[in-house]
Amino acid sequence: MRLLQSGAVYLRDNWINLLCALALASLALTPSLVPRPTVFQGFLAGLWLMLGFQLGFALRGLGRVAARRFGPVAPRRQPRATVPPRSAVRLGLMVGAGVVAYAVGYGALVMSWQNEVRALVEMEPIDGPGYLAAFLSMLATGALCFGIFRGISGVRALVSRVVARRGASPRAARWVGRGAGLAVTVVLVAVLVGAGLVAVGQIYEGRDAQTLAGSGQPTVATRSGSPQSALEWDGLGRQGRAFAGGGPSAANIGAVTGTSAVEPVRVYAGLSQGASVVERADLVVEELERAGGFDREVLLVATPTGSGWLEPQAIASLEYLYGGDTATASMQYSFQPSWVSFLFDPELAADSSRALFDAVYERWEGLPEDTRPRLAVYGLSLGAQGMQGSFAGLADLLSRTDAALFTGPPANSQPWRTLQENRDAGSPVWQPTYQQGRDVRWQSKPGDFGQLGGEWRQPRLGYLQHATDPITWLDPAVMIQRPEWLAGPAATGGRGADVSDSMRWIPGVTFLHLVTDMLVSEAVPPNHGHNFGDVAVDGWAQVLPGHGRSSEQLAVIQSVIERIDTHDPIWE
């Protein structure tokens, strides 16, 4: 009985906090672009639950300030009456029943939302045990955050009492206590963020020194890191070794296509191989010269993601299409994941791309026109943003390349953003048409490039883009403005076919959903999210025609590409 009575008093004094906590936890569970693992979803709900509880304190403080400033002079506050035991029991039972009813009803709604999102991206539904895991994760996260907040409150109260004992007025003691609590919060956040960034740096620096399983040092002269290469194997970095030591050989390509093939050229410079991006770019050009890259039919300049990762499907697709008569050149500009590189040095990817492309282009332009390889550029995610940043605009890109393929471009990429904004009237933002597709086209699944019809002139620029990719749609404007990709239901063309109609634009909340969706954007099947492995073959076949492959050969190549292990690149 005493416990119920204490609980009733707590509810009476903190009902604003509890309502805010419930509201924010409910918002955290609303549907987004991609489904989330259950434990991760529970963690987010628990975090938002406790943030909402703290928001209640802020609202109560603002209410008191407003009352003192604009309201009549209130009488001295009297002690609150103790809640009678029977009333406490009645109140506790009513509140408990209400919370249980809300949890059951809203939980069922959340389950239907999540399973709808999972069905749209071709994933299996989650059953009861999955949501039990989410619920337990939410409770654990909420309890941890509550303990932290209670500790900060204890510091605030302790400081207030100490100051009061030394003769300060009650009001001054409260303000000093609040200042101490704020200082502890700031220090705690700074320590956690700083420690997190240091940990990420150490983890990825350690990872960069490792070699992925299946990445053996090449023995053929056409690869960086081989005995014939001036760029040592150990200096290529983790992802550079995966690139140079992976991919199909001439024998693999011949077996798949049923035609003769040559060893593809793969050239890569690691972060330690050159003091600057210019030096590394010069080393890559020297490697291309040594390996015969300028004598191939296709020369591809590719920008990796932040950690140096190149999507293996995209590179291998081009090699299968052209029988290995290709050369791919790339270099590392960081060992950190893309989000760290973007936050702390947003121009680094573009600077690196520009240095490499300019160095390759200068050497390529000096070749006789009738012996030059076809020059193509490529980038995925931050790599797509970086490589696009190498050019002054669409005209510059088309005038200096024979083909370009960019996958999952971030929202602030150029010229992607300008092309999106100036798309033909009536075309959707997630698969736009620009000037009837004469120079640029967008594709989400194999075949989309060709569905547009009409002339697609060469050189060609192609974008691989999904309606459910949070990296493409993460724009600060979403905080205050409904995005075009959520204009209405899918049946009327107001959103992509794989975007749930249950997803609603909520100011501020939708932007935070996109931020968290980025962390799991590749944990979905191809054709959705930030996963583009299955569309690379058709992408290259369309933007760089002339490969001569039959539809049967393309189908066989497609089946091989779909079986490639991407080594779980979510954090790359």
Side-chain angles (χ1 to χ4, degrees):
M1 182 70 71
R2 183 175 298 175
L3 181 62
L4 284 174
Q5 187 175 11
S6 299
V9 173
Y10 188 82
L11 290 173
R12 179 194 65 190
D13 293 343
N14 295 279
W15 64 272
I16 293 179
N17 305 62
L18 295 172
L19 285 178
C20 289
L22 192 60
L24 260 68
S26 299
L27 289 174
L29 295 170
T30 54
S32 56
L33 287 177
V34 293
R36 297 165 180 168
T38 53
V39 173
F40 181 60
Q41 180 68 83
F43 165 77
L44 292 175
L47 183 62
W48 283 46
L49 179 80
M50 294 314 301
L51 289 176
F53 193 86
Q54 297 303 305
L55 176 63
F57 284 117
L59 293 179
R60 289 164 58 181
L62 289 175
R64 288 192 294 268
V65 170
R68 286 196 299 268
R69 184 174 180 84
F70 303 108
V73 177
R76 183 179 297 273
R77 183 177 176 181
Q78 300 297 323
R80 291 180 181 269
T82 302
V83 179
R86 289 186 179 180
S87 299
V89 172
R90 190 179 303 114
L91 178 61
L93 291 176
M94 290 175 59
V95 171
V99 169
V100 170
Y102 180 81
V104 171
Y106 194 73
L109 182 60
V110 169
M111 180 177 291
S112 68
W113 281 338
Q114 283 296 308
N115 282 335
E116 178 189 6
V117 174
R118 295 179 74 86
L120 288 171
V121 300
E122 304 172 77
M123 293 179 68
E124 294 295 322
I126 295 176
D127 52 13
Y131 279 88
L132 177 61
F135 180 71
L136 295 177
S137 175
M138 181 183 72
L139 290 182
T141 303
L144 176 62
C145 293
F146 184 76
I148 293 173
F149 291 142
R150 289 292 292 177
I152 294 173
S153 298
V155 170
R156 185 171 60 236
L158 176 62
V159 171
S160 295
R161 288 196 298 270
V162 170
V163 172
R165 290 195 195 107
R166 296 191 175 187
S169 66
R171 182 176 182 181
R174 285 196 303 271
W175 277 107
V176 172
R178 290 168 184 169
L182 178 60
V184 170
T185 302
V186 171
V187 170
L188 181 61
V189 170
V191 168
L192 290 176
V193 172
L197 291 174
V198 170
V200 168
Q202 292 178 343
I203 290 171
Y204 276 83
E205 186 175 10
R207 282 163 61 94
D208 196 53
Q210 300 170 0
T211 300
L212 283 166
S215 302
Q217 183 175 3
T219 58
V220 294
T222 57
R223 304 291 184 102
S224 290
S226 66
Q228 300 87 347
S229 172
L231 296 176
E232 296 182 358
W233 172 253
D234 290 340
L236 297 181
R238 177 174 181 262
Q239 297 300 347
R241 288 189 290 275
F243 168 72
S249 65
N252 297 142
I253 296 171
V256 169
T257 62
T259 58
S260 61
V262 296
E263 291 290 344
V265 173
R266 288 192 173 198
V267 171
Y268 192 99
L271 191 60
S272 64
Q273 294 169 325
S276 67
V277 292
V278 173
E279 288 187 17
R280 284 195 294 276
D282 290 340
L283 289 173
V284 170
V285 172
E286 292 175 10
E287 274 286 275
L288 283 173
E289 292 272 18
R290 180 198 61 78
F294 290 103
D295 300 323
R296 297 306 176 101
E297 183 174 357
V298 177
L299 172 56
L300 174 64
V301 183
T303 301
T305 62
S307 65
W309 182 71
L310 289 164
E311 187 182 46
Q313 295 99 323
I315 308 303
S317 293
L318 188 62
E319 293 169 340
Y320 278 111
L321 283 172
Y322 280 89
D325 197 10
T326 61
T328 303
S330 186
M331 68 184 196
Q332 187 180 17
Y333 53 87
S334 170
F335 57 75
Q336 303 273 21
S338 291
W339 64 271
V340 175
S341 298
F342 178 77
L343 283 177
F344 294 97
D345 198 345
E347 298 301 320
L348 182 58
D351 292 342
S352 178
S353 301
R354 189 177 301 110
L356 179 58
F357 180 81
D358 287 348
V360 173
Y361 183 79
E362 182 180 6
R363 177 67 183 88
W364 174 88
E365 192 177 29
L367 298 172
E369 288 192 27
D370 57 347
T371 63
R372 291 175 184 167
R374 301 167 72 185
L375 184 59
V377 293
Y378 164 80
L380 164 69
S381 195
L382 184 59
Q385 177 177 319
M387 182 56 77
Q388 289 181 86
S390 302
F391 303 94
L394 177 61
D396 183 39
L397 190 154
L398 295 177
S399 69
R400 295 205 288 163
T401 66
D402 293 298
L405 187 66
F406 298 125
T407 302
N412 59 342
S413 302
Q414 289 290 5
W416 175 86
R417 190 179 184 98
T418 299
L419 297 174
Q420 293 268 142
E421 293 172 349
N422 293 280
R423 67 188 184 276
D424 295 347
S427 63
V429 68
W430 58 91
Q431 193 167 359
T433 302
Y434 180 77
Q435 296 181 350
Q436 293 79 50
R438 289 194 297 267
D439 299 306
V440 187
R441 296 192 180 188
W442 282 257
Q443 178 163 282
S444 177
K445 58 184 182 297
D448 285 348
F449 279 152
Q451 286 185 357
L452 190 59
E455 180 189 12
W456 192 3
R457 302 182 301 196
Q458 297 186 52
R460 296 176 175 180
L461 166 58
Y463 286 105
L464 305 183
Q465 176 173 301
H466 290 157
T468 50
D469 186 356
I471 292 175
T472 292
W473 309 122
L474 184 64
D475 186 343
V478 174
M479 288 189 283
I480 58 174
Q481 181 179 347
R482 182 191 301 275
E484 293 180 272
W485 46 270
L486 283 181
T492 60
R495 63 188 65 196
D498 54 349
V499 178
S500 170
D501 284 339
S502 299
M503 183 178 181
R504 296 287 186 271
W505 174 70
I506 306 172
V509 175
T510 300
F511 178 81
L512 294 175
H513 277 336
L514 291 176
V515 171
T516 51
D517 280 353
M518 283 178 26
L519 303 178
V520 293
S521 60
E522 293 207 41
V524 294
N527 281 339
H528 310 285
H530 202 56
N531 191 339
F532 295 89
D534 70 324
V535 77
V537 174
D538 190 63
W540 281 122
Q542 295 296 324
V543 300
L544 201 60
H547 47 77
R549 299 299 183 191
S550 65
S551 57
E552 292 78 11
Q553 288 175 316
L554 290 174
V556 175
I557 295 172
Q558 177 73 20
S559 66
V560 172
I561 294 298
E562 289 177 355
R563 295 196 296 270
I564 291 178
D565 181 10
T566 58
H567 297 292
D568 190 22
I570 293 175
W571 301 99
E572 304 297 352

